[in-house]
Amino acid sequence: MPSYLTLGGILGGTTLALFLIRKYMSRKWGSFTSDLKLDGKVIIITGGNTGLGAEVAKVMAAKGATLILACRNWDRTKDFLAQLRKSSGNNDVHFMKLDLASLQSVREFVQEFQDKYNRLDILVCNAGVWMPMEKNLKTQDGFEIHVGTNHLGHFLLTNLLLDLLKMTANSRTVVVSSSLMRTGRFDPADFDNFHEGRVPEKKAGFAPTGYCDSKLMNALFTRKLAEVVPSMMSVCVCPGFCGTELGRHVQMPWYKKMFFPIVGLLFMRSAFRGAQNITFGALKESENLVNGGFYRECEISEDDMKRLDKFDKDELWKLSAQYTNLAE
Ligand SMILES: NC(=O)c1ccc[n+]([C@@H]2O[C@H](COP(=O)([O-])OP(=O)(O)OC[C@H]3O[C@@H](n4cnc5c(N)ncnc54)[C@H](OP(=O)(O)O)[C@@H]3O)[C@@H](O)[C@H]2O)c1
């Protein structure tokens, strides 16, 4: 009997400790809601069918926006789309095919969008991949999978949509990056981020080097975009560590799998909560935002802004334009 009591005490104590640690960790998580109505506004969300993109889509649809879910896979979108139309009562929500890992697909998407719409209020560059580097995966155009999809695809997409964004008053671009951009590197004199990707160092962190580099590029791209189009608000956001499908290709040894639920329990927020960082970037009043800024927990991150100073955003823009044949 006393041993049951002891066991109960240990379990209860552990649960309480975990609960308190999570509560402590979550005290700084950003949160955002807005009363803004979006009737008449046209919004594109890349990767709007699942994870963070889907949570942002729910908010935008409920606010009455004309919403385009720019996704690569109809089968992975159709059920969510039907459910979203039903729950929001907004039938002006649509799927349009976009595969960011194909420059041709990006061009076709933009063509189709321009044929249908004559304004673009908010572009949310959210879609992203996280793949094991050892698989050496490439996009259809032969670019390293993370840099090609997460950065180059969005770079071309945004640039091809710039005329519409410029024509629309108070337009905005939100680029979803990550705090992992802190371990990212961009140094064209030293290595080719674009084609082969940066080789992981011996004591590599848990995140793929290509992913970190692509997230750094997202932040540098946003900063340069603000310079190129000062009339538009461009912000970059980190959503925090969230429970989504991003890690679907990660293969963990069994002992790490055992610890992951505990790590998740302590540090991982829901997609619903993480997405508030993205809706903050999309809907916060412009006068309270810094154009080209990097935001974490719904606040400008001065440390990250300083870190970004070290990298050559002009060179990134130049090379990205060259590799995506932007001038064509
Ligand atoms: N989850 C986190 O902890 C976390 C932390 C920091 C930053 N982020 C960033 O948040 C963003 C959203 O990720 P998530 O966590 O919501 O992951 P997710 O659940 O895996 O969603 C990723 C989305 O991107 C789409 N996508 C992937 N490759 C694509 C391509 N080639 N063309 C078009 N769409 C493509 C996916 O489409 P399919 O459904 O067809 O696969 C999916 O809709 C990413 O940029 C990620 O880097 C996430």
Side-chain angles (χ1 to χ4, degrees):
M1 192 67 174
S3 60
Y4 281 121
L5 273 179
T6 314
L7 197 63
I10 291 170
L11 271 176
T14 310
T15 311
L16 182 68
L18 288 176
F19 171 78
L20 289 175
I21 297 172
R22 183 177 170 86
K23 197 145 178 66
Y24 179 77
M25 296 306 301
S26 64
R27 78 199 189 288
K28 284 191 178 163
W29 289 351
S31 67
F32 179 77
T33 53
S34 163
D35 296 334
L36 217 61
K37 292 274 172 270
L38 296 172
D39 304 84
K41 307 280 184 200
V42 179
I43 301 179
I44 296 175
I45 305 176
T46 68
N49 60 309
T50 188
L52 297 167
E55 293 300 327
V56 177
K58 287 180 198 167
V59 174
M60 302 306 187
K63 289 179 175 295
T66 296
L67 185 61
I68 311 303
L69 306 180
C71 303
R72 61 178 166 177
N73 189 331
W74 167 243
D75 284 337
R76 276 182 58 82
T77 309
K78 60 181 190 231
D79 292 345
F80 173 69
L81 179 62
Q83 200 188 328
L84 183 59
R85 284 182 176 166
K86 200 170 161 198
S87 62
S88 65
N90 181 349
N91 282 321
D92 205 0
V93 182
H94 311 276
F95 164 85
M96 272 177 60
K97 166 112 178 139
L98 169 69
D99 181 355
L100 289 158
S102 154
L103 298 178
Q104 178 63 25
S105 170
V106 174
R107 288 183 182 276
E108 284 168 9
F109 170 87
V110 173
Q111 189 59 58
E112 189 186 345
F113 183 81
Q114 283 170 339
D115 290 346
K116 290 183 177 159
Y117 301 97
N118 57 10
R119 64 182 296 143
L120 176 56
D121 294 272
I122 306 175
L123 170 63
V124 183
C125 296
N126 159 77
V129 285
W130 170 300
M131 299 286 187
M133 285 306 277
E134 57 274 19
K135 288 203 172 162
N136 199 22
L137 296 170
K138 300 277 155 71
T139 65
Q140 282 188 27
D141 306 278
F143 296 109
E144 193 280 324
I145 194 76
H146 302 94
V147 170
T149 309
N150 303 354
H151 167 62
L152 284 179
H154 282 126
F155 174 87
L156 182 64
L157 176 72
T158 311
N159 272 285
L160 295 180
L161 289 167
L162 267 192
D163 284 343
L164 270 183
L165 284 163
K166 283 184 200 165
M167 276 164 50
T168 310
N170 304 316
S171 61
R172 195 172 286 197
T173 296
V174 183
V175 182
V176 183
S177 175
S178 162
S179 295
L180 285 169
M181 68 106 179
R182 292 171 182 170
T183 55
R185 285 172 61 201
F186 168 64
D187 184 359
D190 203 17
F191 43 78
D192 178 2
N193 289 93
F194 290 94
H195 297 93
E196 294 310 317
R198 180 165 54 95
V199 178
E201 283 127 33
K202 259 198 178 156
K203 269 195 169 176
F206 72 100
T209 45
Y211 179 82
C212 302
D213 296 350
S214 72
K215 292 290 132 184
L216 171 67
M217 290 178 178
N218 285 155
L220 293 170
F221 164 60
T222 314
R223 194 178 251 207
K224 180 69 186 173
L225 185 62
E227 246 178 57
V228 174
V229 193
S231 59
M232 172 175 76
M233 178 57 69
S234 302
V235 292
C236 193
V237 299
C238 166
F241 176 38
C242 311
T244 67
E245 292 183 74
L246 190 65
R248 66 186 103 158
H249 299 288
V250 177
Q251 273 161 8
M252 280 188 218
W254 64 269
Y255 56 90
K256 282 195 182 165
K257 263 191 197 146
M258 267 177 57
F259 282 108
F260 192 75
I262 299 173
V263 174
L265 197 69
L266 292 180
F267 304 109
M268 193 189 263
R269 65 191 86 177
S270 64
F272 168 76
R273 185 69 187 264
Q276 292 181 20
N277 289 281
I278 307 175
T279 45
F280 165 87
L283 303 181
K284 182 79 180 167
E285 313 83 48
S286 292
E287 53 273 28
N288 293 322
L289 290 174
V290 176
N291 206 359
F294 188 94
Y295 285 82
R296 290 183 66 226
E297 311 303 2
C298 303
E299 281 177 11
I300 190 84
S301 174
E302 297 295 351
D303 286 356
D304 288 311
M305 297 291 275
K306 276 192 206 122
R307 201 169 275 117
L308 291 170
D309 289 342
K310 290 189 254 161
F311 297 95
D312 190 344
K313 63 181 184 329
D314 300 335
E315 185 64 11
L316 174 72
W317 188 280
K318 200 181 91 193
L319 286 173
S320 305
Q322 188 184 313
Y323 289 138
T324 55
N325 297 318
L326 187 58
E328 265 181 21

